Amino acid sequence: MTYRRAVLPALVGGLLFTLLLWWAGASAQALQLRGSTSVFDVDSVNELRRWLMPWSYDSSVALPSDGSVDAATGGATRYANLYSTAMQIRFVAVFVFFLAGTLLLLRRIPPTRGRTPAALFALWAWGPVSATLAVTVSAPWLIASRGHGSYRVLPQLAGVIASSGPVPVFAGLLTALLTVLVARVSGKGAEPLPRRDVPARPARLAASAGTAVVALSLVVLSYQSVAARMQTSFSGAGLLSEPGDLLRQWLLLGAWTGPSTTSLGHWLLYRAADVLLLAVVWWSLRLLPGLLTRTTVPAMAVGAVCATVLGLLASQVLHMAIDDTAAVWGPVHMFSALGTGVPAALTFGVTAGLATLATLRLAGDRDPLPSSVVPA
């Protein structure tokens, strides 16, 4: 699909995704009404508020709670303006990131000739990624609006990055469905692009190399003792003395330990979610070179990020099925883990995509030249 045909569905998807997040943030005020606890229990209301507040324009969250700001001097207004600036940057950034990623994905995985399910899943996975990037870009303004931006700045930054929540996952699914529908209409009449046949052995080898990169985060770095050592290895003074929390967000896809505190069967059941994550990543990377119209570096990197996020979502859904905390904390709490780990999926997804592409090239797989440059 050419960029001219892809720009309309990308614009529609970007606008819809941004509007859904804005609508979700505006709905946070309804949870403060007196009758909200009669519809949901108190724990569910608090959990829903945590989901929606990262996308809310309610400036009261930016004001210090200790009364250190004198409203008579205009300090409260300045903090509220900083918060409004942070939210404006956040929504503009989420639109730009989703638009850019959708253009690339529709260009390289057009929803035609057997590629429609792949395009749908890729666009769905790109929603939480673009939300995480937007939250990261707007984090400095949001931290400054709280009135103590110089205190433990890196842990604060890690907390803001991890706050996007499950809302972009649900909004991304609705957006992906409409974007693919518009893209199919926009792509009518275009010359069909057949799927490229990738030799099985190079494809499996490349998928294994990319999956090994993701397994480094999931199996090695996410092990409890390794993660704890990583997070507590930094000491000293100054603004950059506590990068442990920030590294945890961008490097750890999960958290696990040995079966010493639980039964072996229960431990293996939870490890099945990690196996599912790696299986989804391997299968997606195995199919990705054949789904792409051209295996370029940006396409492989973004495609691998989407594959890692899909594996992460699959493992979280399995955790929801085997977890029994919904009976204690309410049904809303069951979905709270959706969307966590996306920063680490972005870090290792890009690396996995580059490793997959390099392995493909070393194994001898090459994209065919376009017909306009093939020598006669």
Side-chain angles (χ1 to χ4, degrees), residues 66 159 197 291 336:
D66 58 359
D197 292 329
L291 291 169
S336 296

Side-chain angles (χ1 to χ4, degrees), residues 313-365:
L313 292 177
S315 68
Q316 290 166 356
V317 170
L318 182 57
H319 271 296
M320 289 163 45
I322 63 180
D323 202 354
D324 57 354
T325 58
V328 179
W329 298 101
V332 176
H333 187 272
M334 183 173 60
F335 299 95
S336 296
L338 282 178
T340 59
V342 173
L346 179 61
T347 301
F348 285 91
V350 170
T351 310
L354 298 178
T356 303
L357 182 60
T359 306
L360 275 176
R361 295 293 184 258
L362 291 175
D365 180 70

Side-chain angles (χ1 to χ4, degrees), residues 61-238:
V61 299
L63 299 179
S65 59
D66 58 359
S68 60
V69 174
D70 185 5
T73 63
T77 302
R78 288 194 293 270
Y79 283 117
N81 290 338
L82 269 176
Y83 184 83
S84 298
T85 301
M87 298 310 298
Q88 291 169 8
I89 293 172
R90 180 166 298 185
F91 280 104
V92 171
V94 79
F95 172 77
V96 172
F97 282 125
F98 191 87
L99 176 66
T102 302
L103 276 174
L104 178 61
L105 289 171
L106 290 178
R107 168 73 169 163
R108 295 305 177 196
I109 312 178
T112 56
R113 194 178 286 271
R115 292 188 174 100
T116 300
L120 176 63
F121 282 117
L123 291 174
W124 179 26
W126 186 248
V129 175
S130 59
T132 298
L133 291 173
V135 167
T136 303
V137 168
S138 62
W141 287 267
L142 187 65
I143 293 173
S145 70
R146 294 171 178 172
H148 44 79
S150 61
Y151 174 70
R152 293 175 56 86
V153 60
L154 294 183
Q156 285 191 80
L157 182 60
V160 173
I161 292 171
S163 67
S164 60
V167 174
V169 178
F170 299 117
L173 179 58
L174 294 176
T175 303
L177 290 170
L178 181 62
T179 304
V180 167
L181 180 62
V182 175
R184 287 184 65 88
V185 174
S186 177
K188 283 186 177 180
E191 182 180 355
L193 298 172
R195 293 180 58 172
R196 189 168 65 92
D197 292 329
V198 181
R201 185 177 178 277
R204 288 194 295 264
L205 187 62
S208 299
T211 306
V213 173
V214 176
L216 174 65
S217 170
L218 184 66
V219 178
V220 179
L221 299 182
S222 295
Y223 188 63
Q224 190 177 60
S225 59
V226 178
R229 183 175 294 270
M230 180 193 311
Q231 192 169 357
T232 58
S233 295
F234 302 92
S235 60

